[in-house]
Amino acid sequence: MRPGLLFSALTVMMMAGAAVAQDAPSPIVLNQTGLESAGPKLAILADPATTPLDWRLTDAQGRTVATGKTQPFGDDAASGQHVHQIDFSNVRQAGQGYRLTVGDKASRPFSLTATPDGRLLRASLSFFYQQRSGVPIEAALVERPDLARPAGHRPDKATCFNLADPKGQVWPGCDYTLDASGGWYDAGDQGKYVVNGGISVWTLVNAYERAQVLKRPRALAEVADGTLAVPERGNGVPDLLDEARFELEFLLAMQVPEGKSLEVPLGDQKDNAGHYVLSRIDAGGLVHQKIADAHWTGLPTAPADDHVTRYLYYPTTAASLNLAAVAAQAARVWKDVDAAFAQRCLDAARRAFAAAQRHPDILAQVAFDGSGGYGDTHLADEVYWAAAELYATTGEPAYLAVLRASPYFTGAEGTGDLSWGSVATAGALTLALAPSHLDDVDRRRVRAQVTALADGYVADEGKTGYRLPFASAAYPWGSNGAILSRAMVLGAAYDLTGKAAYRTAVVDAADYVLGRNPLDRSYVTGFGARPMQNPHHRFWAHQADARYPSPPSGVLSGGPNSSAMDDPVAKTMKGNCAPQTCWADDYRAYTMNEVTINWNAPLAWVALWLDDTAP
Ligand code: 9MR
């Protein structure tokens, strides 16, 4: 075949969104996108040998540039392997075509790069644009024409759920509709959930606020106006903030109008039939938990083809506190960008917080069909986060009083891993970073809490064969998101202290999701030799139906899940996989291979942070 023909055949395949053939797994694994020439460098070999083995690093010309001995880690529970670590951090010459060998085993060729190229950051942020609801996804703004699509759910107007839930309880509905158009679809489904939207948008805005407060010109330039493929480029506002605001406008639209009363469950009260006892309350200022379809749609379903009736689901205390937190954060960050928007956010945040204080126990714990639960019955962390953001923004004593009463503030309780349902660490990160009215003693204590949390993550590195800051015996739903959320805390600890071990752990987390794992898999589409290709997603569903596209680049798989193995693929693997290997690149594997805004957000945060701090 002439080269021209080969090229066009490949192009057609790519345009059609076809999955591309992949390399076989390699016996020596490392970040498939290459490593920083001046940064830490680790590769992993699974080998039964109990004594150190000789390794050799060759360059593109086949010349030996370094040799050394592997460090046997031994049996590693997470991977189920006997692991050797190969640390070649001393090699610092940038270049391509490096290869590690141990006996007859070899790595794929890889590069050492001196300057970050920003590709991962841009691609990981493009995910948010492509998850937008209510607007067309424009061909000019995506990497392949088949990723363009018409607007879905335009408009996304709904009233409150007024049908029977799966347990037979009939819900009363409400006397209003909200226009909740816009925002990002959550994941492979097209629901829009306030608590998950909130933590995701907070993460993106925090990446920006960090760069702003710490005066990081490189990071600010990377997300400035005109840098991202978003429709708002050229409007004079940093593109990262444009993307975040698209979600914030949706979150604001989910707030119950003043003067509305609603029947909602309070706490756990149930009647003899097991139905929730509903009480009529003044609901103004509370925030609806979600807007979503009345029943699940199948795969594939392009957003514009979803015609299932959508409903608002009853407001919850968690969603209200969540909006209070992110709207307060936005009020700070937009103050000099769009003062009117900042004021609107602050008003909404105050009202949401006040409403949540009036109604502290409206819990998201009812199972409805057609959408995820994001159920949460422990809200002390949401209270802390919201109070922290409001205090950082306003300096008002009433919010400080709430902070002082929180076990997370005093340190009686650790803030713990950051996730959609565990948000105290978001509050701590804000208090540690944002210029605020905290006195020095309090500020020092909060900062020490952040570094103590990070120290625990660094300690985890030593317990894992693949050296990552996550040593849990079981891998949870969205483990890749959990690992990258830890990397954010480590990044913040590095910002506070400059200690190299923190940055190394961030690099380790990124290396893990980009290929240094027992499956030799890059969990980010379009990055590395063996990227994930078949997410659980209703539009990027090429594997399910060839008329739909494969995913764009920059989308993070949820990752190995050894905890909730109940999708059709996971069921066949149950009991047969070590935690880090309970994963399959299959669109049906919704517990392992879905993609979400709250996992891509820490990916983007970490990508920006690594670019910014590259040695
Ligand atoms: O990310 C969520 C995970 O922590 C939960 O264990 C899981 C089951 O409740 O739900 C996950 O969230 C899903 C959400 O409910 C609906 N959209 C897709 C999300 C990712 O699978």
Side-chain angles (χ1 to χ4, degrees):
M1 207 190 291
R2 283 184 293 125
L5 275 181
L6 176 65
F7 173 74
S8 55
L10 266 177
T11 311
V12 169
M13 248 175 64
M14 299 281 288
M15 304 262 280
V20 178
Q22 295 193 329
D23 293 10
S26 163
I28 299 177
V29 296
L30 68 169
N31 184 329
Q32 295 174 9
T33 68
L35 301 168
E36 297 171 339
S37 54
K41 297 172 201 73
L42 189 76
I44 300 292
L45 164 75
D47 190 289
T50 52
T51 51
L53 301 170
D54 292 318
W55 60 259
R56 173 184 304 278
L57 180 72
T58 51
D59 66 12
Q61 285 73 44
R63 292 180 300 228
T64 298
V65 291
T67 57
K69 296 234 180 250
T70 67
Q71 293 142 339
F73 174 86
D75 289 332
D76 173 41
S79 63
Q81 295 173 336
H82 189 88
V83 165
H84 290 240
Q85 300 180 340
I86 303 170
D87 192 326
F88 58 107
S89 300
N90 289 341
V91 178
R92 298 168 79 91
Q93 179 62 49
Q96 294 187 331
Y98 283 109
R99 204 184 266 267
L100 276 165
T101 52
V102 176
D104 57 1
K105 295 175 175 167
S107 73
R108 269 187 295 275
F110 60 89
S111 57
L112 300 181
T113 42
T115 321
D117 63 10
R119 225 189 112 222
L120 181 60
L121 186 259
R122 286 191 299 276
S124 61
L125 287 175
S126 178
F127 171 78
F128 294 90
Y129 168 60
Q130 298 184 62
Q131 288 290 100
R132 286 190 189 188
S133 176
V135 292
I137 301 309
E138 298 171 34
L141 298 176
V142 290
E143 67 181 335
R144 300 189 316 263
D146 66 333
L147 289 164
R149 60 171 174 79
H153 308 95
R154 180 162 74 175
D156 210 1
K157 282 188 186 160
T159 190
C160 304
F161 183 73
N162 56 13
L163 308 171
D165 70 21
K167 292 204 165 133
Q169 175 161 11
V170 177
W171 289 75
C174 61
D175 66 357
Y176 59 89
T177 56
L178 293 183
D179 182 349
S181 301
W184 305 314
Y185 297 123
D186 190 54
D189 66 317
Q190 290 150 14
K192 300 187 297 192
Y193 310 80
V194 168
V195 296
N196 207 44
I199 193 65
S200 305
V201 82
W202 179 87
T203 299
L204 298 189
V205 175
N206 179 262
Y208 183 85
E209 188 176 26
R210 168 199 172 267
Q212 195 182 40
V213 171
L214 302 182
K215 301 197 172 57
R216 307 292 303 191
R218 210 196 304 182
L220 291 169
E222 217 177 321
V223 297
D225 189 30
T227 56
L228 303 179
V230 291
E232 299 82 5
R233 63 193 300 172
N235 67 354
V237 173
D239 286 342
L240 180 58
L241 296 188
D242 286 327
E243 191 57 67
R245 182 166 174 173
F246 192 80
E247 177 72 1
L248 281 162
E249 295 280 4
F250 154 71
L251 295 172
L252 292 167
M254 293 291 278
Q255 194 162 26
V256 179
E258 289 306 305
K260 290 293 176 192
S261 78
L262 284 177
E263 286 182 70
V264 299
L266 298 178
D268 253 336
Q269 291 176 57
K270 289 187 189 161
D271 65 15
N272 293 337
H275 294 166
Y276 285 92
V277 176
L278 304 185
S279 311
R280 186 161 283 283
I281 59 161
D282 165 15
L286 289 171
V287 180
H288 285 279
Q289 173 78 1
K290 56 187 169 180
I291 179 168
D293 292 341
H295 59 78
W296 287 108
T297 57
L299 269 73
T301 301
D305 300 334
D306 173 20
H307 302 299
V308 175
T309 307
R310 288 166 78 87
Y311 288 101
L312 297 169
Y313 291 81
Y314 70 82
T316 61
T317 307
S320 307
L321 291 167
N322 196 290
L323 177 76
V326 299
Q329 177 201 38
R332 230 170 30 242
V333 174
W334 265 267
K335 196 163 149 272
D336 299 322
V337 175
D338 181 340
F341 179 64
Q343 189 58 51
R344 186 151 67 87
C345 287
L346 185 56
D347 291 346
R350 286 181 189 285
R351 286 196 295 118
F353 191 75
Q357 285 198 309
R358 278 198 324 271
H359 305 295
D361 61 347
I362 315 173
L363 306 176
Q365 54 182 345
V366 184
F368 294 100
D369 189 18
S371 56
Y374 287 117
D376 193 354
T377 55
H378 180 263
L379 304 183
D381 52 321
E382 277 79 7
V383 171
Y384 176 66
W385 179 32
E389 297 294 349
L390 277 160
Y391 184 65
T393 303
T394 67
E396 288 171 13
Y399 299 122
L400 182 59
V402 178
L403 280 184
R404 289 210 180 285
S406 169
Y408 301 113
F409 191 70
T410 60
E413 219 168 297
T415 55
D417 283 345
L418 183 59
S419 74
W420 60 263
S422 168
V423 293
T425 290
L429 290 176
T430 286
L431 291 178
L433 172 80
S436 80
H437 317 263
L438 275 192
D439 65 41
D440 284 351
V441 175
D442 287 335
R443 171 72 70 100
R444 264 202 299 278
R445 192 182 59 253
V446 171
R447 288 183 169 173
Q449 288 168 353
V450 171
T451 53
L453 187 58
D455 289 339
Y457 298 163
V458 170
D460 270 10
E461 296 226 289
K463 301 174 192 157
T464 52
Y466 279 72
R467 202 180 81 190
L468 68 160
F470 188 84
S472 171
Y475 267 52
W477 196 314
S479 60
N480 284 338
I483 290 162
L484 291 172
S485 294
R486 285 186 167 204
M488 290 170 58
V489 174
L490 287 156
Y494 179 78
D495 285 341
L496 289 168
T497 64
K499 267 196 216 160
Y502 295 136
R503 186 170 194 281
T504 297
V506 181
V507 173
D508 285 333
D511 283 356
Y512 169 83
V513 301
L514 288 164
R516 199 178 79 205
N517 54 62
L519 298 175
D520 185 21
R521 182 60 75 166
S522 165
Y523 291 113
V524 182
T525 54
F527 284 79
R530 286 170 44 77
M532 179 274 268
Q533 295 184 320
N534 303 302
H536 177 82
H537 193 275
R538 279 169 175 67
F539 181 58
W540 305 323
H542 189 78
Q543 190 189 34
D545 182 332
R547 291 169 301 177
Y548 287 75
S550 285
S553 299
V555 183
L556 177 73
S557 167
N561 180 353
S562 65
S563 310
M565 305 195 64
D566 48 28
D567 68 52
V569 181
K571 273 183 184 150
T572 67
M573 300 173 71
K574 208 169 180 164
N576 306 319
C577 52
Q580 272 175 359
T581 67
C582 296
W583 184 83
D585 189 11
D586 189 309
Y587 78 99
R588 297 166 301 163
Y590 61 82
T591 65
M592 307 182 288
N593 204 30
E594 191 162 359
V595 299
T596 70
I597 53 176
N598 66 309
W599 304 331
N600 244 73
L603 175 66
W605 195 105
V606 167
L608 180 62
W609 189 91
L610 282 173
D611 285 357
D612 182 46
T613 58

